[in-house]
Amino acid sequence: MKKTGLLYDERYLRHDTGPNHPESPQRLKAIYQGIKEAGLLPKLTLIQARRADLKWIETIHSKNYIKRFEVACGSGNSTFDYPDNQICAETFETALLAVGGILDAVQLIMTDKLDNVFCAVRPPGHHAEYDKALGFCYFNNVAIAARYLQIEWGIQRVGIVDFDVHHGNGTQHLFEDDPTVFYYSIHQHPTFAFPGTGRVFETGDGEGVGTTRNYPVLPGQGDKEYQGLVERDLVPVLSAFSPEVILVSAGFDAHVDDDMSDINLSTQGYSRIMQRIAALAALYSDGRLISVLEGGYCLKRLPELAANHVNILLNA
Amino acid sequence: MFISKIMSRNAVTIDINADISQAREIMSENNFRHLPVVDDSNFLIGIVTDRDIRSVLPSSHITGDNGMEVLKRFSGIKIKDIMTKNPVALSPLDTLQDALILLQKERFGAFPVIDEQKKLIGIVSVRDLLREFINVLGLEEPGTLLCIIVENKLGQMKKIVDAITEEHVSFGSVLVSRYWEKGKRAVFPYLLTQNIAPVKRKLKKMGYTLLDPMDWYMDHLPQND
Ligand SMILES: [Zn+2]
């Protein structure tokens, strides 16, 4: 059995998005509950949140943006940049705690105290741009983790796999001219889903051409198509890149019961994808795999999805 | 949406007495495929395209040094011999819609833009028009597209707009399109939100049909020949 970490902290519930918002604290409770009820907690190393040093946030976001975000939360505003982005007085601190917890998890992995980790954090990150919040995201958690791995731990090649049903526009844009970070995203076709980016021909810029890969999936597709593209495309493409660490943007909103998308992945379908990614990490990254929660809004399905996800990490 | 706002103002032109090798050079230097032909006073007299040039050359495979030799032999051919005279031109006060319809009719890749005296003031290419059309569709803003089937009668749009506004969702754009069933229309609101589920639920509750995304677009529209 692997040494698997779980980053979870009740302070992540403090980011209050108001009534009827899909990105709710209940999501995280459901995830934690699912892992607990599956009897997995005793096998996991629990990691607590910690406030991130701003210098790491600044590797990805502009100082001006960070300040704007802090001021917006402190001023009693209820939204930031877009009406989708509901904030409260605690949102800025919660976002810092999410990043700090993830960086601690990275450290535990890089010092061989853990093999892999699931970071059940809020708010999510993959839509957040250099200087713009978008799609419930404020700090790009995964992007910051990638830079931290490179700067603090000397990692040369980071692979990011994003299976959230929405395209991670932020992560793509932040690394599209960077050949040292591979961004691979599977998502609902941008003509039919937010945010409207992530087309096949978006393959990177300048020196980074070839280390961005988008695989749009059509409405109504599910297990069969995902399975096929994972085997046919994701596995060979990531193998060729040979990442030293794999980061996963784990979004569970492609589930058939999640009404944020028209994609029909089953619970088993999700497991099969994650098993394949874990196998890739074993082959190329010495098992080093850091999975970070993005979307996933079906409170009924999140418990089983999270439990399976963690189980795969434990048995990777 | 006026052509004056979409066109390039510094159109690269060519003299009517220039020969085709000069035109070829200007085109490849600037990566243009259309050159308006003007006289000394900048009056538009014609347009010459890369296709016009290719059509008078013996082979389309003339490249490199050898290509220049071939070109020289044909350099006697003047622009005035191969240009399209009195080309279809736009006025600065024509609109994007005018240009799109004209484009479909005329099969040109670019239109010169002239003022009332027929003096050249710019050129607008298919690329320019597409860029503007992408802007009209709002594709560069993050959002989600829906397709709602409505009765083709007055007041339907208001209900939809009101319902969506009540969910605090703003519009990037709205397209209305013909639909295969008589008396109905397909409405495509492009909504600037990720949080689409409540909007969908609300519209369904109001009795609207949300079209399955895989049934969108052309497959059900009347076929065009
Ligand atoms: Zn998502």
Side-chain angles (χ1 to χ4, degrees):
Chain A
M1 188 162 299
K2 293 285 187 226
K3 289 175 285 178
T4 296
L6 172 67
L7 169 62
Y8 175 80
D9 197 306
E10 294 207 332
R11 285 176 288 173
Y12 292 149
L13 308 176
R14 290 184 188 164
H15 164 46
D16 180 0
T17 46
N20 306 321
H21 196 284
E23 205 290 278
S24 68
Q26 278 71 41
R27 298 175 58 231
L28 226 51
K29 284 187 184 163
I31 283 170
Y32 186 74
Q33 206 57 31
I35 295 168
K36 189 177 165 186
E37 276 166 19
L40 299 172
L41 281 184
K43 303 177 186 169
L44 298 165
T45 305
L46 203 65
I47 305 164
Q48 299 278 296
R50 191 176 53 83
R51 197 175 192 271
D53 188 329
L54 279 181
K55 79 173 181 187
W56 295 115
I57 315 270
E58 286 165 9
T59 61
I60 287 296
H61 298 286
S62 77
K63 281 186 182 174
N64 174 49
Y65 167 76
I66 300 168
K67 195 78 217 160
R68 262 198 320 117
F69 178 33
E70 184 177 13
V71 168
C73 296
S75 66
N77 288 1
S78 64
T79 62
F80 181 56
D81 282 355
Y82 285 94
D84 271 1
N85 304 326
Q86 289 282 331
I87 55 169
C88 68
E90 296 293 326
T91 300
F92 181 74
E93 282 302 315
T94 312
L96 280 179
L97 287 171
V99 175
I102 294 165
L103 299 190
D104 276 0
V106 170
Q107 182 182 19
L108 290 169
I109 283 175
M110 295 314 294
T111 51
D112 290 331
K113 297 196 176 70
L114 290 178
D115 296 308
N116 54 37
V117 64
F118 176 51
C119 304
V121 297
R122 291 178 65 244
H126 73 153
H127 294 306
E129 301 266 2
Y130 171 68
D131 55 3
K132 195 170 72 177
L134 188 72
F136 323 152
C137 301
Y138 306 91
F139 292 147
N140 197 313
N141 301 318
V142 162
I144 297 165
R147 279 289 179 253
Y148 175 72
L149 275 161
Q150 293 187 316
I151 297 167
E152 188 74 8
W153 299 99
I155 293 294
Q156 310 280 323
R157 293 180 315 281
V158 181
I160 301 175
V161 181
D162 185 336
F163 58 66
D164 188 281
V165 82
H166 305 101
H167 176 238
N169 57 291
T171 316
Q172 172 172 314
H173 293 150
L174 287 160
F175 298 120
E176 63 192 347
D177 56 1
D178 183 344
T180 67
V181 178
F182 200 110
Y183 178 69
Y184 191 111
S185 180
I186 313 170
H187 47 264
Q188 185 168 342
H189 191 289
T191 291
F192 309 98
F194 186 87
T197 49
R199 294 190 152 80
V200 178
F201 50 79
E202 295 170 28
T203 55
D205 257 358
E207 283 185 32
V209 169
T211 51
T212 293
R213 190 156 178 93
N214 286 297
Y215 218 113
V217 181
L218 288 172
Q221 297 191 329
D223 292 2
K224 199 174 114 241
E225 289 78 12
Y226 271 71
Q227 186 71 11
L229 82 88
V230 165
E231 298 304 333
R232 214 173 48 242
D233 199 78
L234 177 105
V235 169
V237 163
L238 270 193
S239 301
F241 181 72
S242 178
E244 291 161 79
V245 178
I246 293 181
L247 293 167
V248 175
S249 267
F252 297 105
D253 40 9
H255 194 279
V256 59
D257 292 338
D258 196 307
D259 59 10
M260 289 290 269
S261 80
D262 308 302
I263 299 298
N264 297 334
L265 261 188
S266 70
T267 301
Q268 293 78 4
Y270 257 111
S271 291
R272 276 197 288 273
I273 296 169
M274 193 55 194
Q275 273 155 358
R276 217 60 188 85
I277 297 170
L280 276 173
L283 265 176
Y284 298 101
S285 320
D286 210 6
R288 289 188 293 255
L289 195 160
I290 298 138
S291 169
V292 179
L293 180 67
E294 301 284 359
Y297 306 94
C298 178
L299 298 176
K300 209 175 91 196
R301 294 295 178 200
L302 281 174
E304 68 195 42
L305 286 164
N308 290 350
H309 190 75
V310 168
N311 221 343
I312 290 162
L313 291 176
L314 279 165
N315 297 299
Chain B
M1 254 187 270
F2 290 110
I3 291 301
S4 59
K5 299 260 199 291
I6 303 169
M7 67 184 190
S8 318
R9 285 181 182 276
N10 306 314
V12 175
T13 59
I14 190 152
D15 188 86
I16 190 163
N17 291 312
D19 62 46
I20 58 172
S21 63
Q22 283 171 286
R24 222 182 122 88
E25 218 177 292
I26 295 174
M27 283 183 187
S28 64
E29 256 171 36
N30 298 284
N31 204 16
F32 291 151
R33 298 204 306 225
H34 304 80
L35 297 177
V37 186
V38 291
D39 69 9
D40 296 343
S41 314
N42 206 34
F43 284 108
L44 179 71
I45 7 188
I47 192 164
V48 65
T49 70
D50 59 343
R51 194 179 297 179
D52 297 333
I53 294 174
R54 275 206 308 269
S55 69
V56 293
L57 293 177
S59 150
S60 56
H61 301 288
I62 39 164
T63 47
D65 299 339
N66 181 37
M68 285 316 289
E69 295 239 319
V70 179
L71 265 176
K72 256 180 215 147
R73 280 196 279 130
F74 283 82
S75 60
I77 303 175
K78 300 285 186 198
I79 291 301
K80 62 180 165 202
D81 303 326
I82 59 164
M83 70 177 188
T84 302
K85 295 187 190 78
N86 300 317
V88 179
L90 292 170
S91 112
L93 288 179
D94 284 335
T95 62
L96 171 65
Q97 287 89 331
D98 297 331
L100 288 174
I101 293 167
L102 199 60
L103 194 70
Q104 194 194 22
K105 257 177 72 167
E106 301 287 350
R107 296 162 188 267
F108 285 144
F111 296 109
V113 185
I114 51 175
D115 65 12
E116 283 147 32
Q117 282 93 47
K118 283 193 116 188
K119 280 194 180 184
L120 184 78
I121 53 171
I123 185 163
V124 62
S125 68
V126 171
R127 231 186 139 85
D128 297 328
L129 295 171
L130 286 178
R131 189 193 54 228
E132 193 60 19
F133 192 52
I134 285 171
N135 183 33
V136 167
L137 291 174
L139 289 186
E140 263 152 19
E141 266 184 295
T144 314
L145 194 63
L146 281 186
C147 179
I148 311 162
I149 303 303
V150 301
E151 306 265 328
N152 191 11
K153 64 181 188 198
L154 211 63
Q156 292 297 306
M157 287 297 281
K158 181 183 185 314
K159 282 191 211 158
I160 291 174
V161 170
D162 283 351
I164 293 171
T165 308
E166 279 165 27
E167 293 293 322
H168 305 284
V169 169
S170 45
F171 289 79
S173 64
V174 183
L175 295 177
V176 181
S177 147
R178 289 176 298 171
Y179 188 62
W180 73 92
E181 214 173 302
K182 218 173 165 240
K184 300 215 167 158
R185 300 243 136 189
V187 177
F188 292 86
Y190 186 64
L191 304 175
L192 305 183
T193 185
Q194 167 163 233
N195 191 9
I196 202 68
V199 177
K200 284 186 180 171
R201 275 197 295 271
K202 183 163 193 155
L203 290 167
K204 278 186 199 157
K205 219 167 145 191
M206 291 167 72
Y208 288 109
T209 306
L210 296 186
L211 204 58
D212 183 307
M214 291 309 282
D215 289 333
W216 288 4
Y217 303 118
M218 303 312 171
D219 35 346
H220 288 305
L221 291 177
Q223 289 293 307
N224 209 337
D225 47 32

